[in-house]
Amino acid sequence: MTNFFDGIAPVIYNPTSDSDLAFRHYNPDEMVMGKRMEDQLRFAVAYWHSFAWEGGDPFGGRTFERPWYPQDNMANAKLKADAAFEMFDILGQPYFCFHDADICPGGSNFAEYKRNLEEIIDYLAEKMEGSSTKLLWGTANMFTDRRFMSGAATNPDPDVFAWCAATVKSCMDATLKLGGQNYVLWGGREGYETLLNTDLVKERNQAGRFLQMVVEYKKKIGFDGLILIEPKPQEPSKHQYDYDVNTVYSFIKEFDLEGEVAMNIEQGHAILAGHSFEHELAMAAAFGILGSIDMNKNDYQSGWDTDQFPTNVPEVALAYYEILKSGGFTTGGTNFDAKLRRQSLDAEDLIAGHVGAMDVCARGLKAAAAMLEDGGLEAARDARYAGWDTDVNKAMLTSGTLESIAARVEAEDINPQPRSGRQERLENYINRFV
Ligand code: XLS
Ligand code: NI
Ligand code: NI
């Protein structure tokens, strides 16, 4: 027990409330496209930003005061877990996600790391018994410690590769033990700063073999959740091997992992890659690898991963549109990989950030469901491609050759006439729902 959230009542759905800490749209039991809203959205709190991050930025250190600081001992790790579960209860949060480094101190060698991890996992398991919050995914932090500065699985030093294999094994065991529904790998240090000192063929091969070992181990221990890769470009390495969905998909194919690995797609990472979130989601859906999402936005002016709670309903609606259209989440969910601003010092700020984000997502989900049920966008899209429905045009893709098509163009005097893409009308259509 902590007293960190003292005085903050459980957050409830009350559309007429004038409190900052009430849900006006997130109504867990409301049915949306055949499922409870809670089961469509599958929200998760990110342990790292909410409980481990201390408010630092590149120019200054800790701004927060928390009862579980300093985070270098197991007693405080347990206090942090107490506070985390208190927040999950206040929010009625169905899931959480963690890195090993968020939940316990790393220790001075591997044996100590493992002891700490096992002790805190037992503690979390106990907490979960008395709680309705489950584990959406676990992961290993293989980017903060200086041992990872030249890469994790892609490190030139085989001892680091070995350390990473041992670490991921421990974190997969921990995730399995807590009933985690997925296991995530974000390759923060899997990239390079300069080609002058880098053998990118070797590094990519190491990463490919590493991922194969993860999949082999998943099968060995009977973990039936998804293995998810989280793409991100340019940060922290200048060149990241997991740049975006398309890049990761080609990596998966190259290392024969199709059908074994899916994607955890983060809104902010999509933007950093020069895409929109919905582009990345639609691309993953097209490849059949849309697993889960990190629903946190970046500041559009600052150009780096600011990890803010979502506030933009139209953007969120277009994201859930792609998710619902692809059939919705199975084991995946909506993880708020988001942190407070460093001036937001109070326990209430932490609750408010999540309440707002959950409400924005609920609005987005409802709008997306309404658009899908109305069918206007799909009808417009179908109409735009309707020319491809005729037999002769279908045949171009199945049995056509350049010669046969050229002959038809001449014989039939085919002379394409441009038609409007009707973008503004479609934007107006979206505006009716959001
Ligand atoms: C960092 C990533 C990270 C992953 C988990 O940018 O988003 O937080 O989600 O390692
Ligand atoms: Ni991120
Ligand atoms: Ni993330």
Side-chain angles (χ1 to χ4, degrees):
M1 279 283 287
T2 73
N3 57 8
F4 185 63
F5 292 107
D6 273 5
I8 304 179
V11 180
I12 52 165
Y13 172 66
N14 179 357
T16 58
S17 169
D18 59 7
S19 160
D20 290 334
L21 304 185
F23 297 126
R24 288 178 192 74
H25 302 275
Y26 180 58
N27 180 12
D29 290 324
E30 189 176 319
M31 296 300 283
V32 180
M33 291 192 81
K35 274 194 204 167
R36 292 173 63 248
M37 196 186 277
E38 179 178 293
D39 301 332
Q40 288 285 18
L41 291 163
R42 296 167 60 82
F43 288 133
V45 169
Y47 209 100
W48 51 104
H49 286 316
S50 289
F51 302 104
W53 179 64
E54 300 187 344
D57 74 3
F59 302 95
R62 168 157 85 78
T63 56
F64 300 157
E65 301 289 353
R66 304 289 193 240
W68 55 91
Y69 294 170
Q71 301 186 61
D72 61 356
N73 63 78
M74 286 303 289
N76 279 352
K78 290 178 185 172
L79 203 61
K80 178 164 55 174
D82 291 348
F85 277 82
E86 283 157 18
M87 185 171 96
F88 302 159
D89 284 350
I90 290 172
L91 291 167
Q93 196 64 212
Y95 292 99
F96 73 107
C97 303
F98 72 87
H99 302 83
D100 48 0
D102 314 327
I103 55 176
C104 63
S108 55
N109 60 16
F110 195 81
E112 197 186 338
Y113 159 78
K114 208 173 155 199
R115 258 198 319 277
N116 287 350
L117 188 65
E118 283 171 0
E119 186 178 334
I120 200 73
I121 291 299
D122 285 344
Y123 193 74
L124 291 176
E126 254 173 58
K127 304 232 58 125
M128 287 170 76
E129 264 170 38
S131 156
S132 57
T133 305
K134 298 186 284 296
L135 178 62
L136 186 65
W137 47 263
T139 188
N141 177 331
M142 300 197 297
F143 43 90
T144 301
D145 193 277
R146 65 194 288 275
R147 72 171 65 86
F148 305 118
M149 70 178 190
S150 312
T154 59
N155 203 292
D157 179 353
D159 282 354
V160 179
F161 183 94
W163 179 283
C164 293
T167 300
V168 168
K169 178 189 176 297
S170 298
C171 290
M172 289 177 74
D173 290 341
T175 301
L176 177 72
K177 187 156 184 191
L178 294 182
Q181 308 217 349
N182 308 275
Y183 185 82
V184 165
L185 296 118
W186 169 56
R189 300 287 172 192
E190 313 297 29
Y192 66 92
E193 288 304 313
T194 171
L195 204 48
L196 298 178
N197 65 10
T198 301
D199 183 338
L200 63 78
V201 174
K202 257 196 162 59
E203 293 199 355
R204 287 184 76 260
N205 282 336
Q206 285 171 216
R209 180 59 201 134
F210 194 88
L211 191 55
Q212 288 169 346
M213 287 195 274
V214 168
V215 170
E216 286 159 15
Y217 190 62
K218 163 197 151 140
K219 292 182 178 163
K220 169 113 199 279
I221 60 176
F223 176 71
D224 52 15
L226 289 171
I227 300 293
L228 300 171
I229 302 283
E230 184 174 321
K232 180 178 182 183
Q234 287 166 336
E235 191 190 303
S237 305
K238 179 169 164 56
H239 297 278
Q240 293 276 161
Y241 297 129
D242 53 0
Y243 194 97
D244 62 0
V245 167
N246 230 314
T247 312
V248 174
Y249 183 59
S250 70
F251 185 87
I252 290 173
K253 286 188 82 128
E254 181 182 344
F255 291 96
D256 288 328
L257 291 166
E258 231 181 331
E260 304 288 359
V261 177
M263 228 54 94
N264 182 45
I265 302 171
E266 178 164 316
Q267 197 265 5
H269 298 183
I271 306 291
L272 285 178
H275 301 307
S276 65
F277 196 18
E278 60 272 22
H279 166 89
E280 288 289 80
L281 294 167
M283 203 54 123
F287 296 140
I289 52 173
L290 174 46
S292 199
I293 62 169
D294 276 7
M295 182 57 100
N296 42 287
K297 64 172 193 174
N298 289 345
D299 188 295
Y300 283 110
Q301 278 131 304
S302 69
W304 59 293
D305 206 11
T306 54
D307 289 331
Q308 293 173 242
F309 288 99
T311 54
N312 186 321
V313 176
E315 280 182 2
V316 165
L318 292 181
Y320 282 115
Y321 186 85
E322 296 304 325
I323 290 163
L324 289 176
K325 198 174 110 179
S326 78
F329 294 124
T330 54
T331 62
T334 303
N335 173 42
F336 296 119
D337 189 355
K339 59 185 182 232
L340 295 173
R341 298 308 87 193
R342 69 195 292 264
Q343 300 172 56
S344 302
L345 302 179
D346 301 339
E348 285 87 351
D349 296 324
L350 206 42
I351 304 295
H354 285 91
V355 168
M358 291 160 83
D359 248 5
V360 164
C361 289
R363 281 184 76 178
L365 179 83
K366 285 188 285 188
M371 286 191 280
L372 268 174
E373 274 157 1
D374 179 76
L377 272 187
E378 299 315 306
R381 222 186 319 247
D382 288 349
R384 188 159 184 240
Y385 292 87
W388 286 98
D389 293 342
T390 64
D391 287 342
V392 65
N393 286 331
K394 276 189 199 155
M396 279 201 285
L397 299 182
T398 51
S399 54
T401 63
L402 290 186
E403 296 113 293
S404 68
I405 295 171
R408 194 164 67 87
V409 169
E410 287 187 40
E412 295 175 22
D413 190 18
I414 290 179
N415 189 4
Q417 299 304 311
R419 281 189 301 159
S420 171
R422 300 161 67 103
Q423 182 170 335
E424 293 76 8
R425 293 172 68 148
L426 296 172
E427 287 166 346
N428 295 353
Y429 172 83
I430 301 285
N431 201 34
R432 284 171 27 204
F433 295 86
V434 296

